[in-house]
């Protein structure tokens, strides 16, 4: 039973009955209807405690709201990834204990209170998936509310076809007319100062979604932007991307797994968030800039380098997606060829973005060339690397997957030897999770090696594991027939599945086993995966509290966990 369930219930008999009720919720509901149909429950919802199993069907089916409530409560309670521990108990027995608990104890007020507590964080997340109809669009037969307005469209010669940005209205949060701009983007980078900018020439107009697309269909990136208009000149408009509003589920999975694995490996991201420790982060693939902006905003001690080969994508991110106008460089430190449209002056840049402008840099060059050139620089190492690079056909460039290529070998040398962590976004072609998986919270790995994309996921995961977890006297090798499985004395690799989207998050981290031994007392053995999941969840919980994030990191680091 997950921690969310215990918080939601608080009644031991309710917890005991919830598992069997999930095992046969239909049978439990039928048992309730057959034993308490309209008897003991009047039209006001009050109970009299008089069972009557043969009563005629009620004119007003007051039992059905209860049935929906029980199903909803049990499904939400099981969604945390720890499962419900369902056993072979009979459905009627579990349903009887569940209903007896509800009838014998006045739980409705407590359930409503605990339900609010369990939902508060989701409702606080402006990027929650429930808002996806606002930005999904109708392109390519999409199920969104509308196709949006095209605000940027330009062809490119770098395998991405036509790069476009569409704008979609966001109905949350609501904005009062003439509302002044808060300092959520100010120099501290992470926390609001609670004040207002000294320059009151801009007022908050509204919020809207911006979607970066390749060839008019592929949704490459989604961001919510804050639209500011000049109080005296309505033609002057500024777009500010919201750092903590992450719409794509796979992006939430990437940052949750990456930061948790890094902390488990020895570099405490909470110290970086407080500015007490420094770290370097590399993002291969810029897109709309949601990952680098989230990291720079929440980790004031981090320096973030983003590498993007397509200048049109960079222009779309900065000019239309609300990404900060940070320094743009190309090969050998020369200024990039991207032309930035002047939205605001230099002083206003500092007012809106503060120190973020000094801690983020965009490099206009190929990711493979970048890591090779950085490898040549003495003392140039990265603590955390994200690889999220796709072309216009929604395919990862081959050089990022080749185990014998220059990219992986250079990345291995560029990665910190003690706690370096690499996070990769991959696509899967497996079927969506079954109803049993959704109800129990026990998800499979999310990919099937017998399918084309599933085979590519496994092949890529093994390649990253073997190349990055080798070198030096601390690495050990072990071959297991066709799997060619290699293990490290300190590092490990794992995958997790992503909800709502057919993505897989691959994580390769150095030093994680040492972190397990130091933090949880892991001494080896067959229970390594259990210790690893517990360690990741513990780090995710601490980070979520420390960073005050609106989304749940814990369930994202354990969903469909599979070690390699």
């Amino acid at each position: 039973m997950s921690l969310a369930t215990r918080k939601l219930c608080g009644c031991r008999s309710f917890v005991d009955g919830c598992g069997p009720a999930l095992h046969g919720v239909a049978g439990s509901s039928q048992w309730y209807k057959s034993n308490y149909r309209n008897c003991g429950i009047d039209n006001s919802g009050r109970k009299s405690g008089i069972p009557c199993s043969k009563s005629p069907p009620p004119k007003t089916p007051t039992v059905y709201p209860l049935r929906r409530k029980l199903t909803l409560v049990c499904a939400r309670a099981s969604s945390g990834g720890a499962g419900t521990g369902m056993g072979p108990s009979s459905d009627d027995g579990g349903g009887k204990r569940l209903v007896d608990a509800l009838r014998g104890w006045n739980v409705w007020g407590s359930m409503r209170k605990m339900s609010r507590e369990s939902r508060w964080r989701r409702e606080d997340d402006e990027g929650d998936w429930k808002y996806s109809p606002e930005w999904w669009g109708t392109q390519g037969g999409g199920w969104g509310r509308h196709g949006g307005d095209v605000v940027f469209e330009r062809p490119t010669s770098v395998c991405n076809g036509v790069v476009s940005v569409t704008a979609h209205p966001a109905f949350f949060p609501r904005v009062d007319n003439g509302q002044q701009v808060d300092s959520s983007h100010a120099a501290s980078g992470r926390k609001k100062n609670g004040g207002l900018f000294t320059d009151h020439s801009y007022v908050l107009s509204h919020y809207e979604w911006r979607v970066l697309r390749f060839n008019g269909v592929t949704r490459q990136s989604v961001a919510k932007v804050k639209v500011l208009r000049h109080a005296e000149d309505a033609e002057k408009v500024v777009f500010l991307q919201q750092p903590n509003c992450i719409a794509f589920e796979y992006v939430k999975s990437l940052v949750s797994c990456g930061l948790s694995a890094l902390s488990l490996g020895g570099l405490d991201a909470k110290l970086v968030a407080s500015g007490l420790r420094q770290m370097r982060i590399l993002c291969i693939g810029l897109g709309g800039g949601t990952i680098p902006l989230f990291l720079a905003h929440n980790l004031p001690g981090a320096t973030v380098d983003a590498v993007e080969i397509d200048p049109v994508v960079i222009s779309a991110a900065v000019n239309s997606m609300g990404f900060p106008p940070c320094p743009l460089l190309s090969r050998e430190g020369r200024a990039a060829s991207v032309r930035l449209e002047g939205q605001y002056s230099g002083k206003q840049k500092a007012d809106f973005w503060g120190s973020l402008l000094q801690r983020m840099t965009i490099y206009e060059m190929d990711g493979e060339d970048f890591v090779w050139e950085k490898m040549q620089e003495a003392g140039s190492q990265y603590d955390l690397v994200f690889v999220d690079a796709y072309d216009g056909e929604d395919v990862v460039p081959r050089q990022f997957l080749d185990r014998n290529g220059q990219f992986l070998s250079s990345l291995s040398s560029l990665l910190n030897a003690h706690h370096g962590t690499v996070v990769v976004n991959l696509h899967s072609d497996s079927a969506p999770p079954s109803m049993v998986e959704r109800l129990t919270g026990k998800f499979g790995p999310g990919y099937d090696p017998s399918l084309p994309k599933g085979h590519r996921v496994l092949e890529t995961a093994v390649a990253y594991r073997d190349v990055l977890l080798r070198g030096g006297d601390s690495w050990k090798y072990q071959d297991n027939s066709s799997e060619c499985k290699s293990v490290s004395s300190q590092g490990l690799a794992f995958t997790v599945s992503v909800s709502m989207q057919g993505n897989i998050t691959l994580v390769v981290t150095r030093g994680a086993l040492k972190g397990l031994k130091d933090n949880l007392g892991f001494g080896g053995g067959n229970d390594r995966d259990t210790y690893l999941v517990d360690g990741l969840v513990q780090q995710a919980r601490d980070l979520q509290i420390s960073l005050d994030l609106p989304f749940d990191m814990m369930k994202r680091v354990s969903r469909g966990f599979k070690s390699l």
Side-chain angles (χ1 to χ4, degrees), residues 321-379:
M321 296 291 289
F323 190 78
C326 57
L328 304 177
L329 301 176
S330 61
R331 192 181 301 272
E332 298 176 355
R334 297 192 302 269
S337 60
V338 177
R339 182 177 64 86
L340 301 181
E341 300 173 4
Q343 295 184 16
Y344 32 60
S345 64
K347 180 181 181 301
Q348 290 171 333
K349 291 179 183 179
D351 285 340
F352 289 135
W353 298 107
S355 64
L356 290 178
L357 298 177
Q358 286 74 48
R359 293 187 290 107
M360 288 196 302
T361 304
I362 300 176
Y363 291 87
E364 181 196 335
M365 58 188 302
D366 181 77
E368 183 179 24
D369 295 338
F370 178 86
V371 296
W372 186 85
E373 292 184 6
K374 281 292 182 180
M375 184 190 64
Q376 313 300 320
E377 300 178 6

Side-chain angles (χ1 to χ4, degrees), residues 153-165:
E153 188 172 38
R154 193 175 302 171
T156 177
S157 59
V158 192
C159 303
N160 289 329
V162 177
V163 178
S164 62
V165 177

Side-chain angles (χ1 to χ4, degrees), residues 169-479:
F171 300 99
F172 179 81
R174 298 185 181 276
V175 178
D176 297 331
N177 292 332
Q179 181 176 335
Q180 290 182 329
V181 185
D182 62 29
S183 55
S184 58
H185 296 82
S188 64
R190 226 190 118 232
K191 300 293 184 180
K192 292 185 178 182
N193 296 334
L196 299 173
F197 293 118
T198 56
D199 183 3
H200 300 301
S201 57
Y202 282 90
V203 295
L204 178 58
S205 173
H206 62 280
Y207 291 87
E208 66 183 30
W209 296 101
R210 293 293 178 98
V211 183
L212 177 66
R213 303 175 187 273
F214 289 163
N215 295 319
V217 178
T218 304
R219 301 163 191 83
Q220 207 282 336
S221 184
V222 179
K224 178 179 281 189
V225 300
K226 180 186 295 183
V227 182
L228 312 179
R229 293 189 182 277
H230 198 277
E232 299 178 356
D233 187 356
E235 297 297 325
K236 294 183 179 180
V237 182
V238 173
F239 304 105
L240 301 178
Q241 187 175 140
Q242 302 301 285
N244 277 353
C245 181
I246 300 179
F248 274 153
E249 281 293 321
Y250 88 85
V251 176
K252 294 178 180 178
S253 178
L254 290 177
V255 297
S256 298
C257 293
L259 293 176
S260 300
L262 180 69
S263 296
L264 187 63
L267 196 157
D268 193 347
K270 297 187 294 297
L271 296 178
V272 183
S274 62
L276 299 177
R277 183 164 181 175
Q278 306 298 312
M279 69 175 292
R280 297 188 65 194
I281 302 175
L282 173 62
C283 297
I284 304 294
L286 174 65
T290 54
I291 294 180
L293 179 57
F294 171 86
L295 296 170
H297 176 77
N298 288 283
L299 303 173
T303 300
V304 183
D305 294 337
V307 181
E308 174 59 55
I309 190 174
D310 193 342
V312 178
V313 171
I314 299 176
S315 178
V318 178
N319 294 323
S320 299
M321 296 291 289
F323 190 78
C326 57
L328 304 177
L329 301 176
S330 61
R331 192 181 301 272
E332 298 176 355
R334 297 192 302 269
S337 60
V338 177
R339 182 177 64 86
L340 301 181
E341 300 173 4
Q343 295 184 16
Y344 32 60
S345 64
K347 180 181 181 301
Q348 290 171 333
K349 291 179 183 179
D351 285 340
F352 289 135
W353 298 107
S355 64
L356 290 178
L357 298 177
Q358 286 74 48
R359 293 187 290 107
M360 288 196 302
T361 304
I362 300 176
Y363 291 87
E364 181 196 335
M365 58 188 302
D366 181 77
E368 183 179 24
D369 295 338
F370 178 86
V371 296
W372 186 85
E373 292 184 6
K374 281 292 182 180
M375 184 190 64
Q376 313 300 320
E377 300 178 6
S380 179
Q381 283 192 327
Y382 286 95
D383 303 292
L384 181 59
V385 178
F386 290 89
V387 182
D388 182 19
Y390 284 83
D391 59 19
E393 301 298 325
D394 209 19
V395 177
V396 181
R398 181 63 189 175
Q399 63 266 28
F400 295 144
L401 307 178
D402 187 4
R403 66 181 302 134
N404 299 315
Q406 176 180 277
F407 174 76
L408 280 180
S409 61
S410 301
L411 184 61
S412 180
S413 301
L414 198 61
L415 197 63
N416 185 283
H418 303 289
H419 54 252
T421 301
V422 176
V423 189
V424 187
N425 174 38
L426 300 172
H427 284 179
S428 173
D429 50 1
S430 295
S434 65
M435 183 60 67
V436 174
E437 289 179 304
R438 295 180 184 275
L439 289 176
T440 62
K442 298 179 179 179
F443 295 95
Y447 63 93
D448 184 355
S450 64
L451 299 177
K453 290 186 179 179
H455 178 73
R456 177 61 59 87
V457 168
L458 180 60
E459 184 182 59
T460 303
V462 171
Y464 272 77
R465 178 198 64 191
D466 291 345
V467 175
L468 299 180
L469 300 185
R470 75 184 185 189
D473 297 334
S474 62
W475 309 112
K476 300 179 181 179
Y477 301 95
Q478 175 182 336
D479 293 334

